[in-house]
Amino acid sequence: MAGHSKWSNIKHRKGAQDAKRGKLFMKLAREIFMAAKQGGGDQDTNPALRLAVDKARSNNMPKDNIDRAIKKATGDLDGVNYEEYTYEGYGPGGVAVMVKVLTDNKNRTAADVRHAFNKNEGNLGENGCVAFMFNRSGYLVIDRSTTDADEEEMMLEAIEAGAEEMETTEEQFEIYTNPESFSEVKEVLESRGYEFKTSEVTMIPETYTELEEEGVEKMLKLIDMLEDNDDVQEVYHNLDADESILENLS
């Protein structure tokens, strides 16, 4: 799993832009809705719901919004019915892309996703065409400015909590876990006073596709177009781009 920090640099480039609160809250509400619909509205017995709520809270989503999404899912409030789908394909330069959606209209969403790929020199493929290039993993990020722990101390804490691996950059500690033990690792580290910049179960690429600046720019346009779609929850990819290129394009 070495080298994943280059993935996170690109993935979290979008974080500042996602201050479009209305759109972000709607996507988080859908995620909560699906988790509650599939596993019930009790966070104590539904780990997926607990994870979705934690993610919403970390993005400052109001409690009323969270409660309303759960009530819609459990039938206490009227609401639309969402279905979950994953689309796979290749972006510019052969970058592997997975798109997770929650939609109440599959035909509309499929057409929109295909249009985004076609417009940005990509190709939508069959299910399974790139999934094998990714591993599902728990991912926790601790900003180094929020803790006095050094790399060795943080590594020991993470391993003791049950993490599988940790990477260190100048700015942060990146901790990877088995998806099934993610909540437990997170809770143990939280009990020891650590705060998380990011905490999620996500898809991590096994290999990366490196592009020059022109290709990176095209790929980022595809990512932006997909993420601007209200039905798209997550965009996973294996783009590798030099920091200087990302800074230049931003």
Side-chain angles (χ1 to χ4, degrees):
M1 291 176 65
H4 288 155
S5 57
K6 58 189 175 187
W7 159 81
S8 68
N9 288 340
I10 301 166
K11 183 179 189 297
H12 295 290
R13 158 192 170 274
K14 196 75 167 81
Q17 299 175 26
D18 267 347
K20 308 168 185 174
R21 286 298 172 196
K23 184 181 289 288
L24 177 60
F25 287 169
M26 182 178 66
K27 294 188 178 190
L28 291 168
R30 287 191 186 187
E31 197 166 329
I32 292 168
F33 176 94
M34 284 299 294
K37 183 182 177 185
Q38 293 172 354
D42 186 349
Q43 294 181 56
D44 292 333
T45 58
N46 185 347
L49 177 59
R50 185 165 62 248
L51 182 62
V53 170
D54 283 349
K55 183 177 178 182
R57 286 174 177 159
S58 70
N59 283 282
N60 300 314
M61 185 173 176
K63 185 177 183 298
D64 286 349
N65 295 39
I66 294 172
D67 292 342
R68 188 159 53 248
I70 294 173
K71 287 178 179 178
K72 283 184 178 180
T74 55
D76 294 333
L77 289 176
D78 292 334
V80 296
N81 185 36
Y82 296 110
E83 298 293 337
E84 184 174 21
Y85 301 97
T86 300
Y87 298 97
E88 302 177 37
Y90 292 92
V95 173
V97 184
M98 294 180 67
V99 185
K100 176 185 170 184
V101 307
L102 286 176
T103 180
D104 59 348
N105 186 325
K106 182 184 178 182
N107 292 336
R108 177 196 67 218
T109 304
D112 288 347
V113 171
R114 185 178 299 279
H115 174 67
F117 274 87
N118 291 343
K119 186 172 182 179
N120 293 282
E121 300 183 21
N123 293 288
L124 193 61
E126 299 293 326
N127 284 348
C129 68
V130 301
F132 68 94
M133 300 182 192
F134 295 82
N135 289 314
R136 191 165 175 266
S137 175
Y139 179 64
L140 298 161
V141 177
I142 298 172
D143 192 321
R144 297 187 69 171
S145 67
T146 66
T147 176
D148 295 329
D150 60 21
E151 182 175 5
E152 183 176 353
E153 182 182 354
M154 189 69 248
M155 175 74 80
L156 290 173
E157 292 264 30
I159 291 173
E160 190 177 306
E164 293 187 325
E165 186 182 355
M166 188 186 87
E167 292 187 2
T168 305
T169 68
E170 290 184 9
E171 296 83 21
Q172 60 196 30
F173 298 117
E174 298 175 10
I175 299 166
Y176 300 89
T177 79
N178 183 293
E180 287 70 33
S181 60
F182 170 79
S183 294
E184 182 181 347
V185 174
K186 181 174 181 284
E187 288 171 9
V188 169
L189 292 175
E190 279 180 331
S191 71
R192 295 176 182 174
Y194 292 106
E195 298 178 1
F196 303 109
K197 179 180 177 181
T198 301
S199 61
E200 61 186 349
V201 174
T202 187
M203 301 297 289
I204 306 285
E206 288 189 341
T207 60
Y208 294 83
T209 299
E210 187 173 357
L211 299 180
E212 298 300 325
E213 183 163 343
E214 182 180 354
V216 173
E217 184 174 16
K218 292 176 181 177
M219 184 61 203
L220 292 181
K221 285 181 179 178
L222 171 58
I223 294 171
D224 285 345
M225 188 169 179
L226 288 168
E227 290 186 337
D228 280 341
N229 187 304
D230 290 344
D231 297 331
V232 173
Q233 292 295 112
E234 298 285 352
V235 179
Y236 308 112
H237 59 81
N238 72 340
L239 172 63
D240 180 14
D242 189 90
E243 273 294 326
S244 61
I245 293 177
L246 291 174
E247 290 175 7
N248 195 35
L249 292 174
S250 63

